Amino acid sequence: MTKNRGFWPMRDIPTVLWLLLTVIAALAHRALPMPGWLMIHLLLLGAVTHAILVWSQYFSFALLRRAATDVDRRRQSIRLILSNGAAALVITGVLSGIWAVTVAGAAALIVAVTWHAATLVRRMRGSMPGRFGRTIRYYIASAALLAIGAALGAWLARGDAASNLVVAHALINVLGWIGLTVAGTVVTLWPTILRTRADEGAAAGASRALPVLAGAVVVAATGAALEQLVAVAAGLGAYLVGLGIIFFSLFRAARQKAPRSFAALSAAAAMLWWAGAVAAVAVGAIVAAVDGGGFEALDALFGQVVPYLAAGFAVQVLVGALSYLVPVVLGGGPTPVRVGTAGFDAAGILRVTVANAALAVCALPVSSLMRVAASIMYLVAMASFLVVMWRAMRAQRRAKAAPGLPDGGLPTIDRPDGGLPAIGRPGGGRRAAGQAAAGLTDGGRPDGGLPDGGLSRRHGPIVPEGAQPPGRRSGQAVAGLLSVVLVAAGLAAADPVGLGWGAAPVGAADAPVQTVQVEAANMRFTPDRIEVPAGTRLVIEVTNTDDEQVHDLVFANGIAGGRLAPGEKETIDVGVITADLDGWCSILGHRQMGMTLQIVATGSEAASGASPDAGASPDAGAHGMGHMGGGTATGSSTAPDLMAEPGPGFDPIDAELPALPASDSPITRELTLTVRDEKREVAPGVTQTLWTYNGTAPGPVLHGRVGDRFVITLENKGTMGHSIDFHAGSLAPDRPMRTIPPGESLTYTFTATRAGIWMYHCSTMPMSTHIANGMYGAVVIEPAGLAAVDRSYVLVQGEYYLGDHDGGTVDPDRIATRNPDLVTFNGYANQYDYAPLPARVGERVRIWVLDAGIERPSSFHVIGGQFDTVWAEGAYLLDHATDTGSQALALQPAQGGFVELSFPEKGTYPFVSHLMIDAERGAHGLFAVDE
């Protein structure tokens, strides 16, 4: 036999470490890959799984009246090492994308949990279970479900699984592994925490509820896997029935002794979030089945609910249980246990109130800013548990070491029968059977078997928060609630539009009314311009027809609609229109993407000036009028609408690079480059007067091999002096790179002595202005022995700092901000979205990329593709690799290279600069891959 009390590193440390990692991930989530997945799995797969493996073994010994031996402890340590190592492998494998590592972790987890279940089965068969002994079956059933869930999770990690399997995986693990374990534990732990008797029907109810709950999980998960919404709803409904059976006995126990401690309140809140989340998903499944929303609607809802299952249910039940159990297992006698219990209860009601109020705010349809603030408050309230635990354990250790304390401890600590002398034992009596289980009581004691020697009746100088006077407890609750309410109120006052609050409609009540239907989708309003006779009241019926995005509509006069989920609609009374009025979507970034609406007042009564500038609206602040990437300097005040269609004269630049004809020796290549001022469309609805080489920006691609001689004639037919600088040649710049005035020409001759994709550009000062207004291009010099490919393309990344959107020239003041309005491939924003580059499955495709600047680096990436060959600035980083790959080609301005890949299947593969703000500014295109 071995003692279960005192510090045991393999039992006590991992949960704390996993919780600490979860907090760190929450704080640093913006810098982490897959932050949502990571936080949930650090918590559930790491902290909660370890806690379940520890405490289900602990309760099994107590409820079956068995004592753990040294062999049991050694074997449990091995299982815990295996399970924690498995969790680390799974997380590492998923984040790194190495499926073999994930599979190894899942296999190790299945071994650990199967071994865990087998020990419980053997222990049950070798024991005479008492009244609550059958609750061990909950742990066995949950372990069986985790084995299934872990295997399914490993399959999902391949990255090609459908969302329905993800939902099935989550249902099995959260409602099965965690849910069944919690359901079986609270039957005995809840009355113990309350220090009262278990309900007479608790044991029988637990026996009835187990098949209902386990069967419900199987039905719901199977329904999700098969995309059968009715089965999902039926399974979750049955699960709620099973919870109802369990909760009935818990409610009766709470009527005898109301929850007051942090442990009790946290566990109670967890159970409410548990039931509420399951009910929400069940209702969502029914609604999706009735209104035809399909499984996609349920999947979206489930993704919204899972964080609340994790934060509301899993976290709170874990910290609540640990707050009660840790002082007991550390032991040391009545006084040290009282010290530890009081330490864990510090500011308990305040912490519970803040956490749950903040979580409730997050669940409401509030602004993103308010949701972030509430999330921070929740995180602080929950993360404080780690500090509280450290302080409480340190205080308890000091109390144990203090002289004069009895040497021994609680009457239940080291009893060979597990510390349950009366529960389920013949002659134990009805009173003993009502005592709480899990080795935490002494059924024959007149104080109710409390491990602290009757703390609720005689706590002496050490008073836990839960035993403080009602006024102090209610004061903490009020303080916690007020802190959340005040933060929410302050943010609502600062950002009323985010909550759909705005000014009341203005104008005469008897004015004529004009009603207009407006659709919000794809980052634009349709129509985006409404003409209204002056003096007319405008009523807009706005519908969000987007597939995924939430939108709203607000106006510069303070009128604002609420946030609309996809499919939702509302009517907005804009008021009587007397002057032009601007409207926009206030969701962060949507206005900058061009989601604006203009109300134009017509007729003799229209005011000569525009309505109050939208920049003075509550949403404006530093965002200005919406140039993507920042406010305008001296250019147009309207952001380019990159979701619009190109104009009728749209002619995409041909990105294909033809193969060079065979040649036994270097050849001379001659080309005339003529400088002209050309008005060209650079984005839908936006034209600029560009300074071009041969009428395009960028200029034509020059192509050759090492040793080839290039003879370039530069003719200036523009309106100012220009020049040219070829990086592909090495020579003194004085004569060939000189600026020539309009009407003159020069000849620039160079020999390509080194391979690369080289930039050429105008070198006339200010050079930034000339390059940014279109005077740049690429020279591709192929390296020796370059293998033939099926297709080859050239993409030159450039930037625009827009002047007036109707034929303006580059804005030098915008250049000074170093913040371009557009970032493009081959001179037109998103042009290969409208004219995708073709390819076929299995073909080898080479993509030459040049970053022409002037400011922005590039990280060229093909979504859905992997590069097996990467050549950057004259050197191979990968050359037809078979077991490694690259995801991006990183380039600074005036650098270039190429990548190669083959597309594995038919589909549309976007390519971007993975500096995502630049992808959103226009550095985006598509490959259309056919069979």
Side-chain angles (χ1 to χ4, degrees), residues 620-690:
H623 297 294
M625 284 297 295
H627 267 283
M628 289 187 293
T632 182
T634 61
S636 171
S637 62
T638 304
D641 183 2
L642 299 188
M643 305 306 294
E645 294 293 324
F650 173 68
D651 183 19
I653 287 182
D654 187 2
E656 185 174 0
L657 181 68
L660 289 171
S663 176
D664 295 331
S665 61
I667 64 175
T668 298
R669 304 178 185 277
E670 298 183 3
L671 178 68
T672 297
L673 292 178
T674 302
V675 176
R676 290 191 179 93
D677 296 357
E678 294 277 355
K679 183 177 180 179
R680 296 184 61 88
E681 189 175 60
V682 297
V686 179
T687 59
Q688 296 284 278
T689 299
L690 303 177

Side-chain angles (χ1 to χ4, degrees), residues 407-608:
D407 182 19
L410 306 183
T412 63
I413 288 179
D414 298 319
R415 298 177 54 134
D417 59 7
L420 295 175
I423 293 181
R425 182 182 300 171
R430 179 168 178 171
R431 169 180 169 80
Q435 300 297 326
L440 307 180
T441 68
D442 189 337
R445 290 172 52 164
D447 58 14
L450 306 183
D452 56 13
L455 177 60
S456 61
R457 299 182 183 178
R458 50 180 186 84
H459 40 67
I462 305 165
V463 185
E465 295 289 350
Q468 295 286 356
R472 174 166 175 167
R473 296 197 304 272
S474 61
Q476 285 194 32
V478 171
L481 185 61
L482 278 178
S483 66
V484 176
V485 169
L486 289 174
V487 169
L491 292 174
D495 182 23
V497 171
L499 292 175
W501 299 347
V506 297
D510 59 351
V513 176
Q514 178 177 338
T515 302
V516 179
Q517 282 77 36
V518 172
E519 293 186 356
N522 299 321
M523 295 300 171
R524 67 180 303 170
F525 293 108
T526 306
D528 59 4
R529 174 185 168 94
I530 301 172
E531 293 188 357
V532 182
T536 299
R537 179 177 296 278
L538 176 63
V539 175
I540 292 180
E541 296 176 353
V542 58
T543 303
N544 183 0
T545 58
D546 213 320
D547 293 331
E548 298 178 351
Q549 296 276 8
V550 174
H551 297 296
D552 65 8
L553 177 56
V554 304
F555 293 92
N557 63 357
I559 300 298
R563 299 285 165 91
L564 300 177
E568 292 184 342
K569 61 180 64 178
E570 73 172 330
T571 299
I572 303 175
D573 186 346
V574 183
V576 175
I577 302 301
T578 59
D580 293 352
L581 182 67
D582 290 327
W584 62 91
C585 177
S586 72
I587 306 297
L588 186 64
H590 289 201
R591 183 183 183 188
Q592 286 70 28
M593 293 288 288
M595 201 166 185
T596 59
L597 183 146
Q598 185 180 18
I599 309 300
V600 178
T602 62
S604 59
E605 296 183 29
S608 59

